[in-house]
Amino acid sequence: MIAFVRGPVAAIGVDSCVIEVGGVGLQLFCHPGTLAGFRPGQEAQVFTSMVVREDSLTLYGFADDDEKQLFELLQTASGVGPRLAQAALAVLSPDQIRQAVANEDLAMLVKVPGIGKKGAQRIVLELKDKIGLPSRTVTGRPLQAANDWRAQVQAGLIGLGWSARDAEDAVIAVSPLAVDQAEPSVPDLLRAALRTLSKA
């Protein structure tokens, strides 16, 4: 098990980065909030979770150990795989997820693309006794920058299986909805983008 990696950032993509470790470039799949903290050439320490499949070994990266632990815990719920767990952390902070589960707040959980009402009910039922309580008062997740919603929406769509091109087109299509918002709502824009793609 690889607990974390440390090294210079060799490349940053839409949903992943490459960290050079001992002359080897390791690709780590990260949500936009994590990627926003990286700069090419700068050294970074990234907490990692390895997902093993018959045909692949995939590393998911996180800015801190709390996100990593929650990523792994979410996958113990029925129907939640690594992509969906990553999408949850792209939209909600770890404490927002804990509070939603503790309060059985299904409306909060269904803001995550790919989680419907039944899926939210399963997560609450299966994780309520495991996930713990928020460590502090929970508010909305702060945006890294005015246009950070674009990266988050695009990464969320790619995580749900859409191509990078389709995701980019959907982001452009919903951009007018964010013009008048000081802090655009990523969940709302994700939903709008999904509606755009379903009509295409």
Side-chain angles (χ1 to χ4, degrees), residues 3-23:
F4 68 88
V5 299
R6 183 190 295 121
V9 178
I12 303 173
V14 174
D15 64 347
S16 66
C17 66
V18 176
I19 305 292
E20 183 181 340
V21 181

Side-chain angles (χ1 to χ4, degrees), residues 83-105:
R83 287 290 187 178
L84 190 54
Q86 186 86 306
L89 288 165
V91 176
L92 303 172
S93 70
D95 274 348
Q96 283 178 307
I97 295 173
R98 289 189 184 97
Q99 180 167 292
V101 172
N103 296 338
E104 300 185 18
D105 185 353

Side-chain angles (χ1 to χ4, degrees), residues 103-159:
N103 296 338
E104 300 185 18
D105 185 353
L106 304 184
M108 176 71 77
L109 293 173
V110 299
K111 289 181 179 180
V112 178
I115 296 181
K117 185 176 180 180
K118 289 185 177 179
Q121 289 172 333
R122 281 198 306 270
I123 290 172
V124 168
L125 180 66
E126 297 179 25
L127 298 185
K128 191 165 186 179
D129 295 332
K130 304 177 185 176
I131 203 166
L133 297 172
S135 59
R136 55 188 174 276
T137 302
V138 176
T139 58
R141 184 169 210 154
L143 293 178
Q144 299 290 335
N147 287 327
D148 190 49
W149 70 267
R150 296 174 185 272
Q152 292 190 46
V153 170
Q154 190 165 2
L157 294 171
I158 291 171

Side-chain angles (χ1 to χ4, degrees), residues 34-115:
T34 300
L35 293 173
F38 298 153
R39 297 291 179 270
Q42 291 185 358
E43 183 164 300
Q45 176 171 300
V46 190
F47 292 86
T48 57
S49 178
M50 180 179 287
V51 176
V52 180
R53 297 285 185 263
E54 288 185 5
D55 58 348
S56 66
L57 294 173
T58 307
L59 277 174
Y60 290 85
F62 306 92
D64 58 50
D65 192 54
D66 189 31
E67 282 200 346
K68 169 190 170 178
Q69 297 296 334
L70 198 58
F71 170 78
E72 293 175 345
L73 181 62
L74 283 169
Q75 291 176 74
T76 65
S78 304
V80 179
R83 287 290 187 178
L84 190 54
Q86 186 86 306
L89 288 165
V91 176
L92 303 172
S93 70
D95 274 348
Q96 283 178 307
I97 295 173
R98 289 189 184 97
Q99 180 167 292
V101 172
N103 296 338
E104 300 185 18
D105 185 353
L106 304 184
M108 176 71 77
L109 293 173
V110 299
K111 289 181 179 180
V112 178
I115 296 181

